Amino acid sequence: MKFNKNAVGREIPEYLEGIGELVPFKGVDAIKPTKKKAGAKLRMRIQDEPKIVASIEEAIKKSGLKDGMTISFHHHMRNGDTVVNRVLDIIAKMGIKDITLAPSSLSPCHGPVIEHIKSGVVTGIQSSGLREPLGDEISKGILKKPVIIRSHGGRARAIEDGELHIDVAFIAAPSCDEMGNMNGRTGKSACGSMGYAIVDAQYADYVIAITDNLVPFPNLPASIDQTLVDSVVVVDEIGDPKKIVSGAIRFSDNPRDLLIAQNAVKVIINSGYFKDGFVYQTGAAGASLAVTSLLREEMIKQNIKASLGLGGITSQLVGLLEEGLMSALYDTQCFDLDAVRSIKENERHYEISASFYANPNTAGPAVNNLTFVMLGALEIDKDFNVNVMTKSDGTINQAVGGHQDTAPGAKISVILAPLMRARIPIIVDRVTTVCTPGEAVDVICTDYGIVVNPRRKDLIETLTKAGIKLKTIEEMKEMAEQLTGKPDPVEFTDEIVGVVEYRDGSIIDVIKKVKD
Amino acid sequence: MKFNKNAVGREIPEYLEGIGELVPFKGVDAIKPTKKKAGAKLRMRIQDEPKIVASIEEAIKKSGLKDGMTISFHHHMRNGDTVVNRVLDIIAKMGIKDITLAPSSLSPCHGPVIEHIKSGVVTGIQSSGLREPLGDEISKGILKKPVIIRSHGGRARAIEDGELHIDVAFIAAPSCDEMGNMNGRTGKSACGSMGYAIVDAQYADYVIAITDNLVPFPNLPASIDQTLVDSVVVVDEIGDPKKIVSGAIRFSDNPRDLLIAQNAVKVIINSGYFKDGFVYQTGAAGASLAVTSLLREEMIKQNIKASLGLGGITSQLVGLLEEGLMSALYDTQCFDLDAVRSIKENERHYEISASFYANPNTAGPAVNNLTFVMLGALEIDKDFNVNVMTKSDGTINQAVGGHQDTAPGAKISVILAPLMRARIPIIVDRVTTVCTPGEAVDVICTDYGIVVNPRRKDLIETLTKAGIKLKTIEEMKEMAEQLTGKPDPVEFTDEIVGVVEYRDGSIIDVIKKVKD
């Protein structure tokens, strides 16, 4: 196997069986697209032929799904999803094999996929997220082809560029009419935005809506509309409502989270970018929520208003919108019930597709409008590279999500992380898996201080002038190691079980099989 | 030149200089698509590079527009549009030649295009509509390549199938932000829906927004969004508001229109299709408006509610929506101020693209949901073929619009036409130009009675049983000729100045140069 060292120093094979030729990562935005957008198969529906079919099996037969094809799902049902497992069981029963499973993400509830891998029904997986127990098993090498990990924007790009061609998209629809007009706003399985599924529906050769809530025609708004949907199947349930969205997530009172958040807010308000019209994204973890809460106070105090909030939307961001502190929300995914309510009620809470959110190969994805983004990390290394995919034991877990998309998109990307977790240091010499390149990471806020990437001389100067004490990454690493000791390196075999794509489709890292 | 007779008996050349090979029309829905959708050029915007440029000329330079390319415009500004003429003047000044002009339609205000044709700036036109004085001049043979006339659905299809490739789309935007998020809902040039422009923006290689109303980011809803727009130019005006949309169009009290409308309503309510959930489209001409008005009374009397109203939306359809007689409107184009107000206020008044409206090569265009459509005609012949494009003197005028899309889409297509106009009979032996094939025309309602296409035996039986007296097309034609005399045939040369495409891309007729 021939290897090329990529721009973050990882050895990338030139060719990988089951995937093909690999382009090594060349740096942020280094690869410009040259092709044309892909296009789904054109089809003309026979007029008056009903789209509603009696069963998923019948819909699959009509779709022409065959051995070797690629199917997709969205992950708006999160850990409450019952559609992936149900469809795979039916595919298995129908005797179809060698399927590539290409959902927007997978959750812990998708453990049953393991059996379909072992029986040869599923031979490839392309996803943003892979959790226990599936991630562990893949790390042991059970999957025939290496898994491809893509960010949300990277997946939209791969679909639109034609690298990920979806033969049949299965779309769990919280509300749907007989023509296939669907949205996520009503019904017992309401999930709010259907942003990830929109791209699938636009580019798949055949689209099957699976709904537990058939509503009168026309169902509006049509997040995915009748021109894209070939079959509609009504089932008893598409998910467990209790696990689809959370109730409002509570503000953290963990003192460590508060320390991290205080550092982040210090950076934001002294960065020179904290001005009317800023654009903000954060996640739903404790420290992120704490940042938003503290930031809100500063916005009120300084009378500064944001133009836009992005990302997976939480009740906190809905609050900023409703208070008039934020002019609009772009929503690819709702994280809680408040977000679902808001997207239904408020026209300034705007549903966008994963491509609108983060596809770099467009004339302007939303992530590139970000002023500040708050991001997490499993590991960060001396070069500021971030790992959000593999655990300290080297196995696949978690998800790349929008990390890789928002970090380069934002004016200031801030990693929020405790210095250690369960006595394992977060800042290390070399991350197990590079997901986001250090080039795109501007600031690290831990509970022990603030580090600014030396590339951001401007920011170091501004913050220092504002009287903020900064640490170097080496200082932070040493502090961690003093507290925890230097962890033993994880041992891997040479077998590659996965690749992590950068948002432009190049390979930023490979994931190897762990040693038993 | 070799010719093939098509399914409506017209001689279609196998090849036409300036267009290429022609596929003769083979019958409604006879040609199934086999290819994949086309795709626009992928592009990555350099982050932070402003999209706003100082002038249209600068935007054109950035677009890379060159001799021989194709440019597009939408016609939502209707006869108030000032963008087409302005852009063509600039292109001419820049010395660019041999341009194909491919707007969704052209209006009488586009007379200045004639000069650009004569100077070689414009050598091809593809449009749904062509009016005086431009239509007359093209009928005289001034354009280098034959004009291609497409329906609204046919144009969306041609763009999505890749037959009409747009190099640069110029989009007049009644409201737009610095990222290119635009809609037609606010501003002095508000036009409501931007349905026709949506397809252009999705498939053009370069998109220029031209606005007279720059609004704060993010402008929502984004009928056309930031991922599709390359440049934004702010100008003083994009149109004459007085001519963009009309005030509410008044109900006709022309007794002839009333007679026609009464016949149409008789057909509708006795057709067996007048039931809860019906889908309805009509135009904005006198008789159409009268039909809607009479139909409304019947809906109230019989307590029947429509699920959907389609098409160019008028205050009458808005009224039905607001009264609860219609559950929703799908809107590709607003015809009046009431429609503009309604689309802004009412989420059941839903903006759709021209492709959603009428592209036959999708999994379900809205036109195929129609129960009833009311359509006009310049001429109808014994085979029920309809001409909506050429005048009785043979010259090009008017527009195909959605005629060709809705007639086959609807369960019952009704042509509303007076028996004669200005002493010229409407029902003739052979229409000058076939735009909609007789196969798709179910009923003709004139001020002298009702004709049902003999193909619709079911409908003849139902209506006859209901006691409605029907006439044959021959009877109707004789009646017309008795009143007007048989008109002298128009004399044409052999030179083909245009082709009329059917919605599937085949050629339903050619338009020849008139004899001087």
Side-chain angles (χ1 to χ4, degrees):
Chain A
M1 215 187 278
K2 273 192 72 181
F3 291 84
N4 293 304
K5 193 172 269 190
N6 73 8
V8 289
R10 301 291 161 124
E11 296 287 347
I12 309 299
E14 282 194 344
Y15 180 90
L16 205 51
E17 196 59 43
I19 299 185
E21 281 179 30
L22 303 182
V23 176
F25 171 66
K26 296 182 161 68
V28 169
D29 291 347
I31 297 175
K32 303 271 182 299
T34 53
K35 296 181 302 181
K36 288 187 163 269
K37 273 188 193 169
K41 197 159 83 182
L42 291 164
R43 58 265 203 188
M44 182 199 280
R45 171 172 167 254
I46 297 159
Q47 207 170 333
D48 295 333
E49 188 185 29
K51 287 193 183 184
I52 296 188
V53 296
S55 66
I56 293 173
E57 186 171 346
E58 198 183 314
I60 292 173
K61 278 185 192 153
K62 290 186 77 143
S63 77
L65 184 71
K66 284 197 295 276
D67 291 4
M69 284 188 168
T70 298
I71 62 176
S72 83
F73 299 86
H74 66 74
H75 73 287
H76 292 284
M77 301 290 122
R78 304 207 297 174
N79 203 32
D81 176 69
T82 57
V83 170
V84 171
N85 294 337
R86 188 196 283 242
V87 168
L88 283 178
D89 286 348
I90 294 166
I91 287 174
K93 211 174 287 168
M94 290 172 76
I96 301 170
K97 296 205 168 260
D98 193 20
I99 289 296
T100 293
L101 180 62
S104 50
S105 200
L106 290 169
S107 297
C109 64
H110 297 121
V113 173
I114 295 166
E115 289 314 308
H116 295 301
I117 292 174
K118 290 183 174 167
S119 66
V121 172
V122 172
T123 53
I125 294 180
Q126 307 187 10
S127 177
S128 161
L130 277 172
R131 269 84 170 199
E132 287 180 283
L134 180 56
D136 301 70
E137 291 299 312
I138 289 171
S139 287
K140 291 179 193 159
I142 65 164
L143 190 64
K144 190 176 169 196
K145 297 173 194 166
V147 71
I148 301 175
I149 305 294
R150 290 194 185 92
S151 67
H152 293 325
R155 178 176 189 269
R157 180 206 52 74
I159 294 171
E160 293 203 3
D161 290 12
E163 281 169 36
L164 168 51
H165 175 73
I166 299 167
D167 294 296
V168 182
F170 294 88
I171 303 187
S175 75
C176 189
D177 66 28
E178 62 187 27
M179 286 297 294
N181 295 298
M182 62 176 104
N183 68 53
R185 297 171 193 211
T186 59
K188 60 180 179 180
S189 308
C191 62
S193 175
M194 292 189 69
Y196 299 117
I198 293 171
V199 189
D200 299 33
Q202 285 170 334
Y203 288 86
D205 284 346
Y206 198 92
V207 176
I208 299 171
I210 300 175
T211 190
D212 54 8
N213 180 31
L214 190 72
V215 298
F217 172 85
N219 187 28
L220 296 177
S223 304
I224 292 171
D225 74 55
Q226 61 183 69
T227 64
L228 300 169
V229 178
D230 298 281
S231 290
V232 178
V233 187
V234 184
V235 296
D236 53 340
E237 59 148 54
I238 57 172
D240 176 352
K242 283 192 290 282
K243 297 178 188 163
I244 295 171
V245 285
S246 348
I249 300 157
R250 287 271 144 218
F251 172 61
S252 170
D253 52 7
N254 179 330
R256 198 176 67 172
D257 285 346
L258 264 178
L259 284 169
I260 297 170
Q262 280 163 352
N263 282 331
V265 171
K266 245 191 257 173
V267 171
I268 291 174
I269 65 175
N270 292 293
S271 66
Y273 290 93
F274 186 54
K275 288 188 285 214
D276 269 339
F278 77 90
V279 179
Y280 177 73
Q281 173 168 338
T282 188
S288 306
L289 296 173
V291 174
T292 308
S293 177
L294 296 174
L295 187 63
R296 174 180 165 275
E297 289 168 27
E298 284 296 332
M299 290 170 76
I300 293 169
K301 200 157 79 186
Q302 300 192 35
N303 192 27
I304 287 174
K305 292 191 169 70
S307 63
L308 184 63
L310 266 193
I313 301 297
T314 60
S315 77
Q316 271 198 319
L317 288 178
V318 169
L320 293 180
L321 177 69
E322 291 177 352
E323 279 186 279
L325 291 172
M326 199 165 250
S327 155
L329 300 175
Y330 279 174
D331 189 347
T332 39
Q333 185 180 12
C334 294
F335 279 148
D336 58 30
L337 290 170
D338 252 3
V340 176
R341 171 189 58 76
S342 168
I343 201 171
K344 202 159 54 180
E345 291 176 359
N346 190 335
E347 61 183 16
R348 300 291 296 175
H349 184 156
Y350 195 66
E351 182 175 30
I352 62 169
S353 75
S355 180
F356 189 157
Y357 172 53
N359 179 355
N361 289 358
T362 68
V367 290
N368 287 0
N369 291 113
L370 281 166
T371 317
F372 308 108
V373 64
M374 304 299 116
L375 293 165
L378 293 172
E379 294 172 328
I380 310 160
D381 70 22
K382 287 187 303 185
D383 298 324
F384 293 82
N385 297 315
V386 177
N387 172 20
V388 286
M389 200 65 218
T390 46
K391 289 188 293 184
S392 55
D393 66 359
T395 57
I396 297 170
N397 198 18
Q398 299 302 320
V400 169
H403 203 288
Q404 212 188 60
D405 308 310
T406 54
K411 296 274 176 298
I412 299 179
S413 60
V414 181
I415 308 293
L416 310 175
L419 197 60
M420 54 189 171
R421 277 196 196 96
R423 303 218 50 87
I424 293 167
I426 301 304
I427 299 181
V428 295
D429 279 324
R430 180 187 152 91
V431 292
T432 311
T433 308
V434 183
C435 298
T436 294
E439 187 186 344
V441 172
D442 299 316
V443 183
I444 300 165
C445 291
T446 76
D447 39 349
Y448 287 78
I450 301 165
V451 178
V452 176
N453 191 328
R455 290 169 173 272
R456 290 301 301 264
K457 291 198 181 62
D458 59 325
L459 196 56
I460 292 173
E461 200 184 309
T462 312
L463 293 175
T464 309
K465 270 193 190 153
I468 297 174
K469 282 203 72 168
L470 303 177
K471 293 200 165 61
T472 66
I473 189 86
E474 290 76 14
E475 287 167 350
M476 197 69 91
K477 192 176 81 75
E478 273 163 37
M479 220 186 308
E481 282 172 5
Q482 273 169 19
L483 292 163
T484 63
K486 219 176 164 103
D488 292 332
V490 184
E491 288 193 80
F492 294 97
T493 69
D494 281 341
E495 187 184 333
I496 292 172
V497 296
V499 299
V500 180
E501 277 194 12
Y502 184 62
R503 67 168 173 165
D504 63 7
S506 64
I507 305 300
I508 194 157
D509 209 346
V510 297
I511 301 171
K512 291 184 176 169
K513 184 175 162 177
V514 287
K515 265 202 183 145
D516 292 328
Chain B
M1 214 185 278
K2 271 191 74 181
F3 291 84
N4 293 305
K5 191 172 273 190
N6 74 8
V8 289
R10 300 290 162 126
E11 295 287 347
I12 309 299
E14 282 195 343
Y15 181 90
L16 205 52
E17 196 60 43
I19 298 185
E21 281 179 29
L22 303 182
V23 176
F25 171 65
K26 294 182 163 67
V28 169
D29 291 347
I31 298 175
K32 303 270 182 301
T34 53
K35 295 180 301 180
K36 289 188 162 269
K37 273 189 193 170
K41 197 158 85 182
L42 291 164
R43 57 262 203 192
M44 182 200 280
R45 172 173 167 255
I46 298 161
Q47 209 168 331
D48 296 333
E49 189 185 31
K51 288 192 182 185
I52 295 187
V53 296
S55 66
I56 293 174
E57 185 171 347
E58 199 184 312
I60 292 173
K61 276 185 193 153
K62 290 186 76 139
S63 77
L65 183 71
K66 286 197 294 275
D67 292 4
M69 283 188 168
T70 297
I71 62 175
S72 83
F73 299 86
H74 67 73
H75 73 288
H76 291 284
M77 302 289 123
R78 303 208 297 176
N79 202 33
D81 175 71
T82 56
V83 170
V84 170
N85 294 336
R86 188 196 285 240
V87 168
L88 283 179
D89 286 349
I90 293 166
I91 287 174
K93 213 175 285 167
M94 290 171 76
I96 301 171
K97 294 203 170 262
D98 194 20
I99 289 295
T100 293
L101 180 63
S104 51
S105 199
L106 290 169
S107 297
C109 64
H110 297 120
V113 173
I114 294 167
E115 289 314 308
H116 295 300
I117 293 173
K118 290 183 174 167
S119 66
V121 172
V122 172
T123 53
I125 294 180
Q126 308 187 11
S127 178
S128 161
L130 277 171
R131 270 83 171 199
E132 287 181 281
L134 180 57
D136 301 71
E137 290 299 311
I138 289 172
S139 287
K140 290 179 193 160
I142 64 164
L143 190 64
K144 190 175 167 198
K145 298 171 194 166
V147 70
I148 301 176
I149 305 295
R150 290 194 186 93
S151 67
H152 292 325
R155 180 177 187 269
R157 180 205 54 73
I159 294 170
E160 294 203 1
D161 291 11
E163 282 169 35
L164 167 52
H165 175 73
I166 299 167
D167 294 295
V168 183
F170 295 88
I171 302 187
S175 75
C176 189
D177 66 29
E178 62 187 26
M179 286 298 294
N181 295 298
M182 62 176 104
N183 68 54
R185 296 171 192 210
T186 59
K188 61 180 178 179
S189 308
C191 62
S193 174
M194 291 188 70
Y196 299 117
I198 293 171
V199 188
D200 299 33
Q202 286 170 334
Y203 289 86
D205 283 345
Y206 198 93
V207 175
I208 300 171
I210 301 175
T211 190
D212 54 7
N213 180 32
L214 190 72
V215 298
F217 171 84
N219 187 28
L220 297 176
S223 304
I224 292 170
D225 74 57
Q226 61 184 67
T227 64
L228 300 169
V229 178
D230 299 280
S231 290
V232 177
V233 188
V234 184
V235 297
D236 53 341
E237 60 147 55
I238 57 171
D240 176 351
K242 284 193 289 283
K243 295 177 189 164
I244 294 171
V245 284
S246 347
I249 300 157
R250 286 272 144 217
F251 173 62
S252 169
D253 52 6
N254 179 329
R256 199 176 68 170
D257 285 345
L258 264 179
L259 284 169
I260 297 169
Q262 280 163 353
N263 282 332
V265 172
K266 243 190 258 176
V267 170
I268 291 174
I269 65 174
N270 292 293
S271 65
Y273 290 93
F274 185 54
K275 289 188 285 216
D276 269 339
F278 76 91
V279 180
Y280 177 72
Q281 172 169 340
T282 188
S288 306
L289 296 172
V291 174
T292 309
S293 177
L294 297 174
L295 187 62
R296 175 180 165 275
E297 289 169 26
E298 285 295 331
M299 290 170 76
I300 294 169
K301 201 157 79 186
Q302 300 191 36
N303 191 27
I304 287 174
K305 292 190 169 68
S307 63
L308 184 63
L310 266 195
I313 300 297
T314 60
S315 76
Q316 271 199 320
L317 288 180
V318 169
L320 293 180
L321 177 68
E322 291 177 351
E323 280 185 278
L325 292 171
M326 201 166 248
S327 152
L329 300 174
Y330 278 173
D331 189 345
T332 39
Q333 186 181 11
C334 294
F335 279 148
D336 59 31
L337 290 170
D338 252 3
V340 176
R341 171 189 58 76
S342 168
I343 201 170
K344 201 159 53 180
E345 293 177 356
N346 190 336
E347 61 184 17
R348 299 292 297 175
H349 184 156
Y350 196 65
E351 182 175 29
I352 62 170
S353 76
S355 181
F356 190 158
Y357 173 52
N359 179 355
N361 289 358
T362 69
V367 290
N368 287 0
N369 292 113
L370 281 166
T371 316
F372 307 108
V373 64
M374 304 297 116
L375 293 165
L378 294 171
E379 294 172 330
I380 310 158
D381 71 21
K382 287 188 305 184
D383 298 325
F384 292 82
N385 297 315
V386 177
N387 172 21
V388 286
M389 200 66 217
T390 47
K391 288 188 294 184
S392 56
D393 67 359
T395 58
I396 297 169
N397 198 18
Q398 300 302 320
V400 169
H403 203 288
Q404 215 187 58
D405 308 310
T406 54
K411 296 273 177 299
I412 298 179
S413 61
V414 181
I415 308 293
L416 310 174
L419 198 60
M420 54 189 171
R421 278 196 196 93
R423 304 219 49 85
I424 293 167
I426 301 305
I427 299 180
V428 296
D429 279 323
R430 181 187 152 90
V431 292
T432 310
T433 309
V434 184
C435 297
T436 295
E439 189 186 343
V441 172
D442 298 316
V443 183
I444 299 165
C445 291
T446 76
D447 39 351
Y448 286 79
I450 301 164
V451 177
V452 177
N453 191 329
R455 288 168 173 274
R456 290 301 300 264
K457 289 198 182 66
D458 60 325
L459 196 57
I460 292 173
E461 201 184 308
T462 313
L463 294 175
T464 308
K465 270 193 190 150
I468 297 173
K469 282 204 74 169
L470 303 176
K471 292 201 166 61
T472 65
I473 188 87
E474 290 77 15
E475 286 167 350
M476 197 69 90
K477 190 176 82 76
E478 273 163 36
M479 221 187 307
E481 284 173 3
Q482 273 169 19
L483 291 163
T484 63
K486 218 175 164 104
D488 293 332
V490 184
E491 288 194 81
F492 293 97
T493 69
D494 281 340
E495 187 183 334
I496 293 172
V497 296
V499 299
V500 180
E501 277 194 12
Y502 183 62
R503 66 169 173 163
D504 63 7
S506 64
I507 306 300
I508 195 158
D509 209 346
V510 296
I511 302 172
K512 292 185 175 170
K513 183 174 163 178
V514 287
K515 266 203 180 142
D516 291 329

